[in-house]
Amino acid sequence: MRFNNILGHTCLLLFFLFSFSAHAQDSGSSQISTIKYGTENEIASLIQTLRNENADYLDNELIALVNNTRNQKILSGVFGFFGDREKSGLEERAVRAIEERDEEANETVLSAVDYLGKLKTAKAVPVLMELLENEERRFMNNSFRALGRTCSSDSNLAQQTAEFLLDYYENRDPGDEFRREIITAMGATGSSVCVPLLAGIASNTDERPPLRIAALDAISKIKDTDGLDAILGCITTNDPNVRSAAVAALGPFSGEEVDKAILDAFRDSFFRTRIAAAQSSRQRKLAAAVPYLKFRAERDDVPGVRDESIRALGEIAGSASNEEAVSVLNALFLERKNPDHVRILAADMLMKNTGGKELTRVILELDEAKKKNQTALSNGFLKVVGETKTENNKNEMEDLARRFMQNGSVTEKLYGLDMAVNNNFKNLSAEIKTLSKEKNESISRKAIRTAERLGIELGSE
């Protein structure tokens, strides 16, 4: 009798394992078949699914597809998908699309140019320069933008590119529609050779505001103090957009004069200038700005100012364990009368910048919101916890992930798997194996990828 029971249980377990294996294989096989034989719309739908799952398990199949098609929609979709993740593997095909642009759709060439820019592919610099030399206007804006990025990883190449851009701007009469992109590209090179021209543009009150703003941003990216006087000179300009751009450009610089300009900007009636002050405080990790940020986070009538102030408080709290900033964030997070997005953002800043020290409070508020059916608030707190890599309260985080995986909703199970990966919770192998057999494909696929990342063998039991 006992033998029959053991045999029955063994057969049942083997049946479930076989069924799961067949299900996973069918799902993967179906997706690969779509890549091999599907229409452009079917492949676009598959790419969107992969985007939603932040998945990379079909990258090799997509690379093979791109290397053997000229379908514009497919190429643009895959270049975009890889570019957004800064995933390599398509560089040669992208260069070929530019070189053979007469045989490719315009959208294909533009997406190839953008892809090379996002990957900062240095070997693309000559082909982009050649494209710009030919002055094919349909490609020029994207090409200038990409050129600045592609050279940024090589100082010698950056210098050559900066000189090319300077010559283009001053001697080629590129036209107003391209000047802003050229200025932006100069900033992306990081080369100081561009600073005198950029400072002149920023300081010229007769110049169009969009070009002055682009020049200020470019100087900020280059971070050369030779351009600081031009930035400070724009702090009091009458044009509010130029003024806010100047404040935003102060982030990489230091000194008493810079600090004073940032703090003064919190009093500006133009909301974008106050946003810029918060952003520069965040970049500078400016502890002196905490009282100003507290005031803005609590009282400003513009949501964008409040949000940027909370983000700045988070950066300052994390940079030097600033207790005042932590206290302000806790007050914003725990005040239940505050708008949901304020509480969620404050919780996010606390968790990301204090090593998860506030985990217990976040869990309590998450459970309270769920109990009161405050769906937006509970989902927001859930996302915060799911994305946290904690240095503290690891046992509590592991227990929460286990709870989500065992008894949670679909969303909670997915975030529980994220928590396992983010915090290397290999002790949750049993729960991960169980979820890998879920009927819900999103859960089962994510569980399989989670197991792979944690080195858990799914077929060992």
Side-chain angles (χ1 to χ4, degrees):
M1 184 73 174
R2 185 179 177 186
F3 175 78
N4 289 337
N5 286 339
I6 294 173
L7 182 62
H9 286 308
T10 302
C11 291
L12 186 62
L13 179 60
L14 288 173
F15 170 77
F16 279 126
L17 286 174
F18 175 79
S19 297
F20 162 70
S21 177
H23 168 74
Q25 288 176 5
D26 287 346
S27 176
S29 176
S30 173
Q31 291 179 323
I32 291 173
S33 294
T34 298
I35 292 174
K36 286 183 177 180
Y37 313 115
T39 67
E40 57 185 28
N41 290 334
E42 291 166 341
I43 291 171
S45 178
L46 173 59
I47 289 174
Q48 187 57 52
T49 298
L50 297 172
R51 278 183 186 276
N52 294 340
E53 296 179 359
N54 193 26
D56 59 6
Y57 56 90
L58 292 176
D59 281 356
N60 290 336
E61 286 77 10
L62 290 171
I63 290 171
L65 171 66
V66 163
N67 284 329
N68 292 285
T69 184
R70 288 191 185 275
N71 183 289
Q72 176 264 314
K73 192 169 183 179
I74 292 174
L75 289 169
S76 297
V78 179
F79 279 137
F81 178 48
F82 274 53
D84 290 344
R85 295 177 296 142
E86 297 182 7
K87 175 78 175 184
S88 62
L90 302 178
E91 294 91 335
E92 290 185 9
R93 181 65 182 91
V95 168
R96 179 155 58 91
I98 298 171
E99 291 175 337
E100 300 175 0
R101 54 190 174 275
D102 291 339
E103 301 174 30
E104 303 277 11
N106 286 350
E107 285 302 316
T108 297
V109 178
L110 290 171
S111 60
V113 168
D114 291 343
Y115 171 75
L116 292 169
K118 287 177 179 177
L119 263 73
K120 301 179 180 178
T121 307
K123 65 181 180 182
V125 169
V127 73
L128 290 171
M129 284 185 176
E130 186 267 336
L131 187 59
L132 289 166
E133 289 281 9
N134 287 338
E135 297 187 7
E136 296 185 57
R137 304 181 81 80
R138 54 190 171 153
F139 303 131
M140 285 174 65
N141 268 330
N142 296 63
S143 296
F144 280 125
R145 196 180 308 126
L147 180 61
R149 295 171 179 167
T150 53
C151 72
S152 59
S153 59
D154 184 318
S155 58
N156 291 329
L157 201 56
Q159 180 79 4
Q160 295 172 23
T161 302
E163 291 171 355
F164 172 85
L165 292 167
L166 279 171
D167 177 70
Y168 212 108
Y169 191 93
E170 295 180 314
N171 302 315
R172 296 286 291 269
D173 190 23
D176 288 343
E177 69 266 40
F178 301 120
R179 291 187 189 279
R180 186 172 183 177
E181 290 296 349
I182 297 174
I183 291 170
T184 300
M186 289 179 186
T189 68
S191 174
S192 296
V193 71
C194 300
V195 170
L197 173 67
L198 295 171
I201 295 170
S203 303
N204 185 357
T205 55
D206 293 328
E207 187 60 87
R208 292 186 298 126
L211 294 189
R212 296 181 69 192
I213 291 169
L216 288 164
D217 183 61
I219 294 170
S220 181
K221 284 184 169 61
I222 295 171
K223 304 175 185 177
D224 190 319
T225 54
D226 286 346
L228 181 56
D229 285 344
I231 296 174
L232 291 170
C234 293
I235 294 290
T236 55
T237 187
N238 289 330
D239 188 298
N241 290 303
V242 174
R243 194 165 67 241
S244 64
V247 175
L250 290 172
F253 299 98
S254 60
E256 185 178 348
E257 194 172 8
V258 173
D259 291 352
K260 184 177 183 301
I262 293 172
L263 297 179
D264 281 348
F266 281 107
R267 304 181 187 277
D268 198 299
S269 59
F270 185 51
F271 77 97
R272 293 191 188 281
T273 303
R274 300 197 301 278
I275 288 177
Q279 291 171 335
S280 289
S281 299
R282 178 185 180 187
Q283 193 171 354
R284 287 284 315 284
K285 301 176 178 62
L286 185 60
V290 170
Y292 295 84
L293 293 166
K294 177 180 185 295
F295 188 91
R296 289 295 138 207
E298 292 175 344
R299 304 191 191 185
D300 204 284
D301 57 358
V302 178
V305 177
R306 293 201 299 270
D307 290 354
E308 287 302 325
S309 297
I310 294 170
R311 292 188 181 97
L313 285 164
E315 196 68 36
I316 295 168
S319 64
S321 299
N322 187 291
E323 292 183 7
E324 185 182 6
V326 172
S327 177
V328 175
L329 289 170
N330 262 316
L332 292 167
F333 157 56
L334 292 172
E335 177 51 71
R336 293 180 179 175
K337 292 181 181 179
N338 280 336
D340 288 354
H341 82 275
V342 168
R343 299 189 65 201
I344 292 166
L345 183 56
D348 191 32
M349 292 301 99
L350 282 168
M351 292 296 286
K352 285 181 177 174
N353 293 289
T354 64
K357 288 181 181 178
E358 306 300 324
L359 177 62
T360 301
R361 290 183 181 181
V362 175
I363 293 174
L364 288 172
E365 293 301 314
L366 167 61
D367 289 340
E368 179 70 14
K370 188 175 179 180
K371 185 171 69 176
K372 292 183 176 179
N373 293 319
Q374 296 172 304
T375 305
L377 184 61
S378 61
N379 283 344
F381 286 150
L382 180 60
K383 184 175 187 291
V384 168
V385 173
E387 293 177 350
T388 296
K389 297 180 181 179
T390 185
E391 299 169 9
N392 304 281
N393 303 314
K394 278 191 171 291
N395 290 338
E396 190 172 10
M397 178 72 87
E398 186 173 320
D399 289 343
L400 182 63
R402 181 178 289 107
R403 187 182 101 190
F404 286 162
M405 285 192 267
Q406 288 180 346
N407 304 309
S409 64
V410 170
T411 303
E412 287 173 334
K413 287 176 180 177
L414 292 171
Y415 277 123
L417 291 166
D418 285 338
M419 293 160 70
V421 170
N422 292 338
N423 297 281
N424 198 34
F425 289 152
K426 294 183 179 180
N427 290 338
L428 299 177
S429 60
E431 287 75 16
I432 294 168
K433 289 176 183 178
T434 298
L435 292 184
S436 71
K437 304 166 190 173
E438 279 267 352
K439 292 181 179 179
N440 184 299
E441 288 192 11
S442 295
I443 294 175
S444 62
R445 282 200 299 266
K446 190 161 190 172
I448 292 168
R449 293 198 304 277
T450 299
E452 290 173 352
R453 292 174 183 176
L454 294 177
I456 295 170
E457 292 289 338
L458 290 177
S460 62
E461 294 183 5

